[in-house]
Amino acid sequence: MAARSELYARLAECLSSYRNGTSADSQVLWDVKMDLQRQPGLQYVLPVIKECLETIELTGQKDLDPSIVPEIADLAKQAICDPSFSFDHVQELITLDRIGLALQSSLDLVVDLALDCLQKATVRLSDANIVGGKVGLTEEIIIVWLSNANTAISTRAADILLDLLKTEIEASPKNLSANVTKLTERRVFQDPAAYRLLFRYTSDVLFDRDRYPDRASWLECPLDRSRRSIAQGRLFDFVVALGKISFPLVADSHLPDIELSFRRKPRSSPSSLLDFVTHDMTDADDPLVLRVRMDFCTSLLGIKPLVDGIETAISPPTLSNGLKFLIESGVHNDIIRLYVKPEKELQDPVTASLLGDADINYLSSYFSLHPRHALEPEFKDIHHNILQRILSKLETLPFSKWTTQEGRAPHDLNILKEMPLPMLVTEPGMAAVCAIPVNPPNPLALRTLARIFHGPETAQRGVESFSQEEEGAQPEIDIIRAAGSRANFYKYITEHPDFWANLAAAIVVVSIPDATKQAIDLAWSIACARWIELPSDMPIGTHAWPLPTEPVLRSKLRTRPFRTGMTTLLALGPEVWEALLMRVEMPRVAPTADASSIVYDIQVMKEKVLTDILEEMKQDTGKMECETGLWESSFSELEQTLRDWRANPGRRNLEVKTLEL
């Protein structure tokens, strides 16, 4: 204990000497830092922080050697991050005014220490209110977040602001009365000085003074175009993050005078921070900015309703808060119209390259997150146009595009694989699915087919058809998907009679390793598919997208469809079954480390897939409808293959053909 006290006395002497103009001993700083790591304790932490902060503050006032300042700041940071050091201790050592001044420092290490102190206020509601109640402090946090060139510092400031708001929001419904004082929330959204900063530091509206001569000078953005673009991206992220915590904060109007001052042109929609960010903040004619804005809208799709502060699943009739806003503001339809534009109206190549797949990413997320909304009758025509656009792209795609790696395949397939399956059973959805080839093997194409053919994971195992009681009732979405997957698969193999041979070749011939893996996954998705037979008389699905009955489906097929994917694979795809049981072997001519890694990965994947199939067969999946002896012999063959592989993991007895590209 005496030695430790002596060490901290040496630290105080070292920093005192440094403040008086002599050099500081770096070894002492290092020894104290190591001591705090080994034995943290408040009685030592407090004096260390006090000494370090006083020293750093004086470096800006005296002509002291700056080279040692980072080491002093690092020591202070270590002490502040001690769990026993609370916001009460912060207030004992440093005033909020000094923290505000530190946030204005040109030295990032000083700003970082100030943020460390403010981070302590995010734990308790009372501490968050102290920060929110201090005039000017929240504004300094916002300015650091939006204008600091250091991304790490900016991110920390944004996180602290979010944490302060979250602390206040979460306290209200769960622990306290509804009349909780939320001073940070009031400061950000009700104080004009603070709220205006969110608009002023990010708006492109006032960049052209001649165009907006009537706007007051206090609205002028203090950042140049490049830094303002960065600030815009930061506000995009902040609005999404805050919207997940409390959507009304970003979607409701707070100070209309400020919100309307930054509108590009008059419109009838209510003003809000979310409305500003979506419509007015950025230049709509800049394709790169449009790309960022569309990515922001994609993020909004995932903002779910909150019940008592807890995020809930999206289910009808409740819409996602984000989707509801995007529909009401017209943005949702704007993005769809951008995607379905005829070829002659598309952007020039440069603009198209900058936009990338932003519209595709948005639509993929929409169909994935909101399948029930997508199936509503009022949207059938516009979604029919999306399918028609995908079909048009697939039909006109040169053969060479499928033969290369995944990056060259049409990313429109990402939309197709996320669409609700009833949309793919009717035209033009079915035609679009049938336009996807298995030969040549393309990773994205195979992944898309696997997703469409497998059916929902949540479908009940062993339920293979509708009972009489269930017919005529509105089925659950998973039942519809299970029936739709089966209908899609059998329609596909009717259009592609060479499907099984091509899939077997894609598994055996390793020309593109990713394609081989996806081919194995496609075989698994069929064998372990969660299918349900269509009802015999009454169509299911939705009013806008009905599925056919079982007799109608069979009338369009060349072979009788089985109820399970397991029977389908064993009875119709014996070559694929044989390909799955083949063991992968290293090429015997000039094997390389990369080739060894690829072969190992594929073999491991095969073993995992076959293990899954074995577990499925142990549940007697497909046994009742298989030909006599086929199911039993396949089960025995699979068990023996896996035993051999596990008994001799180092041997490679069967050869996989490896092509040189």
Side-chain angles (χ1 to χ4, degrees), residues 14-47:
C14 170
L15 293 179
S16 177
S17 299
Y18 173 72
R19 292 194 294 268
N20 291 326
T22 60
S23 61
D25 188 348
S26 296
Q27 186 60 47
V28 174
L29 299 175
W30 175 261
D31 290 344
V32 172
K33 181 179 178 181
M34 293 298 100
D35 183 73
L36 288 177
Q37 285 185 359
R38 290 190 299 267
Q39 305 177 63
L42 197 58
Q43 67 182 97
Y44 296 103
V45 164
L46 290 176

Side-chain angles (χ1 to χ4, degrees), residues 428-493:
M430 182 68 76
V433 173
C434 290
I436 304 173
V438 174
N439 182 33
N442 179 280
L444 181 55
L446 295 170
R447 186 183 306 128
T448 301
L449 292 175
R451 178 68 174 271
I452 294 171
F453 294 159
H454 181 60
E457 286 292 344
T458 52
Q460 185 179 353
R461 175 187 275 113
V463 178
E464 299 172 358
S465 62
F466 290 98
S467 66
Q468 292 297 320
E469 291 76 15
E470 289 173 321
E471 291 186 13
Q474 179 64 31
E476 293 295 327
I477 188 69
D478 283 344
I479 297 178
I480 297 174
R481 291 175 60 197
S485 296
R486 177 173 170 272
N488 259 294
F489 173 77
Y490 273 103
K491 185 67 168 65
Y492 184 89
I493 63 172

Side-chain angles (χ1 to χ4, degrees), residues 139-148 193-206 218-235 262 276 281:
E139 291 95 300
E140 295 300 338
I141 299 174
I142 293 173
I143 291 172
V144 169
W145 155 43
L146 292 176
S147 66
N148 195 288
Y195 194 53
R196 186 185 302 124
L197 294 174
L198 302 178
F199 297 78
R200 183 185 173 204
Y201 273 71
T202 59
S203 176
D204 280 339
V205 172
L206 299 177
W218 56 263
L219 295 177
E220 187 72 34
C221 180
L223 305 180
D224 59 35
R225 181 180 289 276
S226 175
R227 294 174 63 200
R228 187 167 64 254
S229 296
I230 295 173
Q232 290 166 350
R234 292 170 177 175
L235 186 56
F262 288 90
F276 161 74
M281 182 174 72

Side-chain angles (χ1 to χ4, degrees), residues 488-497 499-500 559 568 572:
N488 259 294
F489 173 77
Y490 273 103
K491 185 67 168 65
Y492 184 89
I493 63 172
T494 297
E495 297 293 326
H496 295 269
F499 168 78
W500 297 108
T559 182
T568 300
L572 303 182

Side-chain angles (χ1 to χ4, degrees), residues 77 103 105 107-116 118-119 138-163 198 201-202 223 227-238 241:
K77 187 176 184 68
L103 290 174
S105 173
L107 296 175
D108 283 346
L109 57 88
V110 175
V111 177
D112 196 36
L113 284 175
L115 294 175
D116 285 330
L118 291 172
Q119 183 68 56
T138 303
E139 291 95 300
E140 295 300 338
I141 299 174
I142 293 173
I143 291 172
V144 169
W145 155 43
L146 292 176
S147 66
N148 195 288
N150 187 316
T151 302
I153 296 291
S154 168
T155 301
R156 286 207 64 203
D159 289 344
I160 287 172
L161 188 58
L162 281 169
D163 287 343
L198 302 178
Y201 273 71
T202 59
L223 305 180
R227 294 174 63 200
R228 187 167 64 254
S229 296
I230 295 173
Q232 290 166 350
R234 292 170 177 175
L235 186 56
F236 273 135
D237 293 340
F238 180 84

Side-chain angles (χ1 to χ4, degrees), residues 168-169 171-182 186:
E168 295 181 347
I169 292 166
S172 178
K174 291 183 179 179
N175 304 324
L176 303 172
S177 68
N179 296 320
V180 170
T181 302
K182 304 177 184 178
R186 289 185 188 178

Side-chain angles (χ1 to χ4, degrees), residues 446-455 457 485 489 499 503 518-531 565-566 569 580 609 613:
L446 295 170
R447 186 183 306 128
T448 301
L449 292 175
R451 178 68 174 271
I452 294 171
F453 294 159
H454 181 60
E457 286 292 344
S485 296
F489 173 77
F499 168 78
L503 181 58
Q518 292 302 326
I520 295 171
D521 186 64
L522 175 54
W524 169 86
S525 73
I526 297 168
C528 300
R530 296 288 179 259
W531 287 349
M566 185 68 69
L569 177 62
L580 286 173
V609 164
I613 294 175

